[in-house]
PDB file of all heavy atoms in Angstrom:
ATOM      1  N   ALA E 155      41.595  64.780  59.702  1.00  0.00           N
ATOM      2  CA  ALA E 155      42.941  65.201  60.096  1.00  0.00           C
ATOM      3  C   ALA E 155      43.608  66.014  58.989  1.00  0.00           C
ATOM      4  O   ALA E 155      44.198  67.072  59.247  1.00  0.00           O
ATOM      5  CB  ALA E 155      43.785  63.976  60.448  1.00  0.00           C
ATOM      6  N   VAL E 156      43.513  65.532  57.747  1.00  0.00           N
ATOM      7  CA  VAL E 156      44.147  66.239  56.632  1.00  0.00           C
ATOM      8  C   VAL E 156      43.447  67.577  56.380  1.00  0.00           C
ATOM      9  O   VAL E 156      44.101  68.596  56.118  1.00  0.00           O
ATOM     10  CB  VAL E 156      44.134  65.371  55.363  1.00  0.00           C
ATOM     11  CG1 VAL E 156      44.758  66.123  54.191  1.00  0.00           C
ATOM     12  CG2 VAL E 156      44.890  64.076  55.596  1.00  0.00           C
ATOM     13  N   ALA E 157      42.105  67.583  56.458  1.00  0.00           N
ATOM     14  CA  ALA E 157      41.366  68.833  56.260  1.00  0.00           C
ATOM     15  C   ALA E 157      41.695  69.841  57.349  1.00  0.00           C
ATOM     16  O   ALA E 157      41.804  71.053  57.091  1.00  0.00           O
ATOM     17  CB  ALA E 157      39.865  68.543  56.239  1.00  0.00           C
ATOM     18  N   THR E 158      41.887  69.368  58.588  1.00  0.00           N
ATOM     19  CA  THR E 158      42.258  70.259  59.689  1.00  0.00           C
ATOM     20  C   THR E 158      43.655  70.828  59.464  1.00  0.00           C
ATOM     21  O   THR E 158      43.900  72.026  59.676  1.00  0.00           O
ATOM     22  CB  THR E 158      42.204  69.500  61.024  1.00  0.00           C
ATOM     23  OG1 THR E 158      40.892  68.969  61.229  1.00  0.00           O
ATOM     24  CG2 THR E 158      42.550  70.429  62.178  1.00  0.00           C
ATOM     25  N   ALA E 159      44.567  69.982  59.017  1.00  0.00           N
ATOM     26  CA  ALA E 159      45.918  70.456  58.705  1.00  0.00           C
ATOM     27  C   ALA E 159      45.878  71.502  57.601  1.00  0.00           C
ATOM     28  O   ALA E 159      46.606  72.501  57.638  1.00  0.00           O
ATOM     29  CB  ALA E 159      46.799  69.276  58.288  1.00  0.00           C
ATOM     30  N   SER E 160      45.000  71.299  56.619  1.00  0.00           N
ATOM     31  CA  SER E 160      44.854  72.274  55.541  1.00  0.00           C
ATOM     32  C   SER E 160      44.321  73.594  56.076  1.00  0.00           C
ATOM     33  O   SER E 160      44.801  74.670  55.709  1.00  0.00           O
ATOM     34  CB  SER E 160      43.922  71.722  54.461  1.00  0.00           C
ATOM     35  OG  SER E 160      43.708  72.676  53.447  1.00  0.00           O
ATOM     36  N   ALA E 161      43.322  73.503  56.973  1.00  0.00           N
ATOM     37  CA  ALA E 161      42.739  74.722  57.546  1.00  0.00           C
ATOM     38  C   ALA E 161      43.760  75.496  58.366  1.00  0.00           C
ATOM     39  O   ALA E 161      43.731  76.734  58.419  1.00  0.00           O
ATOM     40  CB  ALA E 161      41.531  74.359  58.406  1.00  0.00           C
ATOM     41  N   LEU E 162      44.686  74.788  59.010  1.00  0.00           N
ATOM     42  CA  LEU E 162      45.717  75.442  59.815  1.00  0.00           C
ATOM     43  C   LEU E 162      46.877  75.964  58.968  1.00  0.00           C
ATOM     44  O   LEU E 162      47.793  76.588  59.491  1.00  0.00           O
ATOM     45  CB  LEU E 162      46.256  74.458  60.861  1.00  0.00           C
ATOM     46  CG  LEU E 162      45.281  74.069  61.983  1.00  0.00           C
ATOM     47  CD1 LEU E 162      45.870  72.950  62.828  1.00  0.00           C
ATOM     48  CD2 LEU E 162      44.950  75.285  62.844  1.00  0.00           C
ATOM     49  N   GLY E 163      46.831  75.661  57.653  1.00  0.00           N
ATOM     50  CA  GLY E 163      47.890  76.118  56.764  1.00  0.00           C
ATOM     51  C   GLY E 163      49.122  75.237  56.767  1.00  0.00           C
ATOM     52  O   GLY E 163      50.153  75.611  56.215  1.00  0.00           O
ATOM     53  N   LEU E 164      49.028  74.047  57.369  1.00  0.00           N
ATOM     54  CA  LEU E 164      50.186  73.166  57.474  1.00  0.00           C
ATOM     55  C   LEU E 164      50.546  72.502  56.149  1.00  0.00           C
ATOM     56  O   LEU E 164      51.632  71.955  56.012  1.00  0.00           O
ATOM     57  CB  LEU E 164      49.926  72.084  58.535  1.00  0.00           C
ATOM     58  CG  LEU E 164      49.655  72.601  59.951  1.00  0.00           C
ATOM     59  CD1 LEU E 164      49.402  71.433  60.890  1.00  0.00           C
ATOM     60  CD2 LEU E 164      50.828  73.445  60.452  1.00  0.00           C
ATOM     61  N   LEU E 165      49.606  72.517  55.203  1.00  0.00           N
ATOM     62  CA  LEU E 165      49.880  71.880  53.918  1.00  0.00           C
ATOM     63  C   LEU E 165      50.331  72.868  52.850  1.00  0.00           C
ATOM     64  O   LEU E 165      50.502  72.491  51.697  1.00  0.00           O
ATOM     65  CB  LEU E 165      48.626  71.150  53.421  1.00  0.00           C
ATOM     66  CG  LEU E 165      48.071  70.055  54.328  1.00  0.00           C
ATOM     67  CD1 LEU E 165      46.908  69.346  53.648  1.00  0.00           C
ATOM     68  CD2 LEU E 165      49.150  69.046  54.686  1.00  0.00           C
ATOM     69  N   GLU E 166      50.491  74.121  53.225  1.00  0.00           N
ATOM     70  CA  GLU E 166      50.890  75.130  52.242  1.00  0.00           C
ATOM     71  C   GLU E 166      52.181  74.796  51.506  1.00  0.00           C
ATOM     72  O   GLU E 166      52.287  75.020  50.300  1.00  0.00           O
ATOM     73  CB  GLU E 166      51.002  76.494  52.921  1.00  0.00           C
ATOM     74  CG  GLU E 166      49.645  77.083  53.291  1.00  0.00           C
ATOM     75  CD  GLU E 166      49.783  78.455  53.929  1.00  0.00           C
ATOM     76  OE1 GLU E 166      50.917  78.956  54.001  1.00  0.00           O
ATOM     77  OE2 GLU E 166      48.755  79.012  54.353  1.00  0.00           O
ATOM     78  N   PRO E 167      53.194  74.226  52.184  1.00  0.00           N
ATOM     79  CA  PRO E 167      54.436  73.914  51.457  1.00  0.00           C
ATOM     80  C   PRO E 167      54.245  72.945  50.301  1.00  0.00           C
ATOM     81  O   PRO E 167      55.046  72.938  49.365  1.00  0.00           O
ATOM     82  CB  PRO E 167      55.338  73.304  52.551  1.00  0.00           C
ATOM     83  CG  PRO E 167      54.823  73.881  53.822  1.00  0.00           C
ATOM     84  CD  PRO E 167      53.344  73.994  53.631  1.00  0.00           C
ATOM     85  N   ILE E 168      53.210  72.102  50.356  1.00  0.00           N
ATOM     86  CA  ILE E 168      52.991  71.158  49.249  1.00  0.00           C
ATOM     87  C   ILE E 168      51.776  71.539  48.415  1.00  0.00           C
ATOM     88  O   ILE E 168      51.257  70.739  47.650  1.00  0.00           O
ATOM     89  CB  ILE E 168      52.842  69.718  49.771  1.00  0.00           C
ATOM     90  CG1 ILE E 168      51.685  69.615  50.776  1.00  0.00           C
ATOM     91  CG2 ILE E 168      54.117  69.232  50.388  1.00  0.00           C
ATOM     92  CD1 ILE E 168      51.428  68.188  51.226  1.00  0.00           C
ATOM     93  N   GLY E 169      51.297  72.766  48.598  1.00  0.00           N
ATOM     94  CA  GLY E 169      50.256  73.275  47.710  1.00  0.00           C
ATOM     95  C   GLY E 169      48.853  72.940  48.124  1.00  0.00           C
ATOM     96  O   GLY E 169      47.939  73.057  47.320  1.00  0.00           O
ATOM     97  N   GLY E 170      48.629  72.531  49.373  1.00  0.00           N
ATOM     98  CA  GLY E 170      47.262  72.182  49.766  1.00  0.00           C
ATOM     99  C   GLY E 170      46.795  72.904  51.001  1.00  0.00           C
ATOM    100  O   GLY E 170      45.897  72.447  51.679  1.00  0.00           O
ATOM    101  N   GLY E 171      47.413  74.015  51.374  1.00  0.00           N
ATOM    102  CA  GLY E 171      47.066  74.691  52.609  1.00  0.00           C
ATOM    103  C   GLY E 171      45.937  75.678  52.451  1.00  0.00           C
ATOM    104  O   GLY E 171      45.635  76.150  51.369  1.00  0.00           O
ATOM    105  N   GLY E 172      45.301  75.998  53.572  1.00  0.00           N
ATOM    106  CA  GLY E 172      44.229  76.985  53.582  1.00  0.00           C
ATOM    107  C   GLY E 172      42.883  76.367  53.332  1.00  0.00           C
ATOM    108  O   GLY E 172      42.760  75.368  52.642  1.00  0.00           O
ATOM    109  N   ALA E 173      41.847  76.935  53.945  1.00  0.00           N
ATOM    110  CA  ALA E 173      40.504  76.385  53.768  1.00  0.00           C
ATOM    111  C   ALA E 173      39.605  77.305  52.966  1.00  0.00           C
ATOM    112  O   ALA E 173      38.542  76.906  52.540  1.00  0.00           O
ATOM    113  CB  ALA E 173      39.877  76.117  55.136  1.00  0.00           C
ATOM    114  N   ASP E 174      40.030  78.550  52.782  1.00  0.00           N
ATOM    115  CA  ASP E 174      39.203  79.516  52.069  1.00  0.00           C
ATOM    116  C   ASP E 174      39.563  79.480  50.584  1.00  0.00           C
ATOM    117  O   ASP E 174      40.645  79.930  50.196  1.00  0.00           O
ATOM    118  CB  ASP E 174      39.442  80.916  52.636  1.00  0.00           C
ATOM    119  CG  ASP E 174      38.506  81.953  52.023  1.00  0.00           C
ATOM    120  OD1 ASP E 174      37.845  81.626  51.017  1.00  0.00           O
ATOM    121  OD2 ASP E 174      38.439  83.063  52.550  1.00  0.00           O
TER     122      ASP E 174
END
Side-chain angles (χ1 to χ4, degrees):
V156 178
T158 302
S160 177
L162 291 172
L164 300 179
L165 301 185
E166 288 182 4
I168 58 175
D174 186 348

